Amino acid sequence: MSAQIIQAIRGMNDLLPADIPAWQHLESCARELLAAYGYQEIRVPVLEHTQLFKRAIGEHTDVVGKEMYTFTDRGGDSLTLRPEATAGIVRALISNGMLRGQRHKLWCLGPMFRHEAPQAGRYRQFWQLDLEAVGCPGPDADAELIAFSARLWQRLGIAGSVKLQINSLGTADSRRAYRERLLQYLGAHHARLDADSQRRLEGNPLRVLDSKNPDMQDIIRGAPLLTEHLDVESRTHFDELCAMLRGIGVSYEVNPLLVRGLDYYNRTVFEWITSSSGAQNAVCSGGRYDGLIAQLGGEATPAVGFAMGLERAVALMLSAAGAPAVTAPDVYVVVSGAAAARQALQLTERLRGERPALRFELNLGGGNFKAQFRRADRSAARLALIVGEDELARGVVAMKPLRAEGGQSEWPIADLAAGLDAALAAAGPAAARG
Ligand code: ATP
Ligand code: MG
């Protein structure tokens, strides 16, 4: 009887070695830029008390209403796998006493979990890069955050695939007034609203504006606009943000229908979208959340942040430039004769100590000469180092360039690192594995 194969959970992906170069490229570009902008990393747990997300994100949002992975643990506590990072980061700032009028620029990278219908660009475990600028009330913080994302697109080579949409949600007060007007309008068209919108009408009517249903677009186009009902401060904040973006040459489009799916936003909201992937078109979304920290019991502190969906960013990178190549080793160590295996390991370890920047791939598990050279070739290494019984007996090791012309040479073991340098210099530049 054969053992039954256990499948992966639907919507939760393995990132295989072939996928990793693109991810690592994205992450290293991001890390470099984060350091350059003065952001510090924070790592928060994947699990939090369910109440945290309910209070932060809002009971009437899709995320809390139908997407959370919630369970009771062995101690009887209701816990939830984080569907986003902001709530956990704010919780961490409060529980570690980090507010007290201080400013923080923080980033966090990791997997998030939402029980959604899996499809291209929409998964149940997905990765986000999250940035939060805490303690800064002005539009300069919003603008710098957006500048960061624009620069990251440039570094990743996908600036041409995304465009920025911005909007202002005003303050909680001005939004309440607008909500009444919107309810009146939508109420007058109640019969024409789809089931989803009728449901949203009760909890969070602004989310009706976010509907992707084509049949709803006429009604949405006729709705009163939030931007026409902004309070004076929010209007000034928004105008200043727009001026700053123009000042640094970041193009944007004002989308008065952009409302975002989480309840905690106020004033600035923004989204980087692509035209390529339909309903999964948001690559990076964020906004200001001046009320959230107080709402979670912390000292009232303004903040602004965003989350970038890494699967969607990687997909854009792949379609813009193809997969980056896996870095090939510099040296493939061929082992000739069973007795040489111990010596080959010893020599390779010695060279790894003497030349820490080089990549060595030691042939493991034997194999005949021909098979080993086939592997060496497939590895795309520049140089083969041949550790053989005969050569060892004479106190030498042989070397052979694999990507360039040139015959086999020998070098004394005592002075191997210097010989390796010379042979690598002659063997030409590093190649990338295909
Ligand atoms: P969407 O409108 O696509 O559902 P959202 O508004 O729910 O996105 P946010 O909660 O703002 O998304 O998350 C920020 C980013 O995380 C999104 O812009 C997107 O790139 C990514 N993201 C969100 N949900 C998923 C998912 N289920 N799978 C993959 N990426 C996601
Ligand atoms: Mg969503």
Side-chain angles (χ1 to χ4, degrees):
M1 196 186 84
S2 66
Q4 204 184 340
I5 293 170
I6 297 173
Q7 305 290 342
I9 299 170
R10 225 161 75 79
M12 303 206 178
N13 300 320
D14 302 309
L15 293 173
L16 301 176
D19 304 318
I20 293 298
W23 284 76
Q24 286 188 343
H25 179 64
L26 190 164
E27 287 170 23
S28 69
C29 287
R31 274 172 215 272
E32 212 179 281
L33 213 53
L34 285 160
Y37 275 73
Y39 275 80
Q40 293 182 305
E41 184 175 5
I42 181 168
R43 302 187 188 189
V44 294
V46 167
L47 281 175
E48 299 276 359
H49 288 292
T50 303
Q51 208 50 36
L52 174 68
F53 299 117
K54 284 196 176 167
R55 269 171 61 188
I57 301 171
E59 300 263 6
H60 296 293
T61 59
D62 286 352
V63 173
V64 170
K66 51 185 194 190
E67 295 174 359
M68 294 209 299
Y69 278 95
T70 297
F71 66 96
T72 308
D73 81 350
R74 289 168 193 275
D77 292 324
S78 176
L79 306 182
T80 293
L81 278 165
R82 63 179 180 196
E84 56 103 59
T86 306
I89 293 172
V90 168
R91 198 266 315 130
L93 288 170
I94 297 171
S95 38
N96 293 288
M98 292 169 70
L99 291 166
R100 308 213 175 90
Q102 291 181 64
R103 298 178 164 198
H104 298 282
K105 282 160 75 172
L106 303 170
W107 66 274
C108 178
L109 185 143
M112 307 296 152
F113 304 85
R114 296 184 193 177
H115 196 274
E116 301 196 66
Q119 53 198 292
R122 190 173 297 286
Y123 309 104
R124 290 180 172 176
Q125 173 175 318
F126 60 98
W127 291 71
Q128 283 186 342
L129 169 64
D130 204 76
L131 268 70
E132 313 289 353
V134 178
C136 311
D140 47 354
D142 314 20
E144 193 194 44
L145 204 62
I146 291 174
F148 171 93
S149 52
R151 195 176 294 280
L152 184 58
W153 308 139
Q154 266 164 16
R155 298 253 173 121
L156 297 175
I158 55 175
S161 327
V162 290
K163 61 179 186 184
L164 174 65
Q165 293 197 336
I166 57 175
N167 191 23
S168 177
L169 300 180
T171 61
D173 280 344
S174 69
R175 206 158 13 144
R176 247 189 304 279
Y178 168 73
R179 191 174 179 273
E180 291 312 314
R181 296 184 59 99
L182 184 65
L183 272 176
Q184 261 174 23
Y185 170 83
L186 293 173
H189 295 85
H190 195 270
R192 288 172 60 206
L193 299 180
D194 63 10
D196 221 26
S197 299
Q198 289 189 357
R199 188 177 49 77
R200 285 172 170 176
L201 198 58
E202 274 145 41
N204 191 353
L206 265 69
R207 292 280 293 149
V208 173
L209 303 178
D210 202 29
S211 168
K212 306 276 191 296
N213 182 351
D215 298 338
M216 290 288 302
Q217 299 311 309
D218 262 357
I219 296 177
I220 291 172
R221 263 194 296 277
L225 291 179
L226 183 54
T227 25
E228 287 163 3
H229 297 86
L230 285 186
D231 55 288
V232 179
E233 286 84 9
S234 296
R235 166 53 63 193
T236 311
H237 185 106
F238 190 62
D239 290 344
E240 187 56 26
L241 169 63
C242 293
M244 286 174 164
L245 291 177
R246 288 194 298 272
I248 54 173
V250 172
S251 328
Y252 61 87
E253 191 181 288
V254 176
N255 175 3
L257 299 178
L258 183 65
V259 293
R260 308 284 299 108
L262 316 175
D263 274 356
Y264 51 60
Y265 290 110
N266 69 301
R267 292 204 170 144
T268 310
V269 288
F270 62 91
E271 231 166 44
W272 286 94
I273 60 169
T274 129
S275 46
S276 55
S277 47
Q280 281 68 256
N281 67 353
V283 198
C284 174
S285 327
R288 185 160 273 288
Y289 54 94
D290 295 334
L292 178 64
I293 297 178
Q295 185 190 315
L296 292 177
E299 194 172 310
T301 311
V304 58
F306 72 63
M308 181 181 296
L310 299 192
E311 282 83 359
R312 295 182 193 180
V314 166
L316 289 177
M317 288 163 59
L318 293 179
S319 55
V326 178
T327 314
D330 297 292
V331 180
Y332 193 97
V333 182
V334 171
V335 189
S336 165
R342 206 180 287 171
Q343 284 279 9
L345 175 68
Q346 245 177 50
L347 280 176
T348 308
E349 281 304 306
R350 198 184 96 195
L351 290 170
R352 282 176 172 142
E354 291 173 346
R355 293 292 180 270
L358 291 180
R359 298 161 188 257
F360 292 89
E361 186 152 335
L362 172 62
N363 186 82
L364 299 174
N368 66 33
F369 216 56
K370 215 170 129 193
Q372 291 194 47
F373 264 95
R374 239 191 339 263
R375 277 184 220 140
D377 205 47
R378 232 182 291 133
S379 80
R382 291 188 284 155
L383 189 75
L385 200 70
I386 304 149
V387 183
E389 283 167 348
D390 300 347
E391 288 88 351
L392 288 172
R394 287 187 285 117
V396 299
V397 161
M399 301 180 192
K400 187 178 185 330
L402 293 170
R403 311 268 122 195
E405 295 302 310
Q408 197 161 311
S409 61
E410 289 186 348
W411 205 273
I413 290 177
D415 196 19
L416 200 52
L420 199 65
D421 294 341
L424 279 171
R433 197 190 321 226

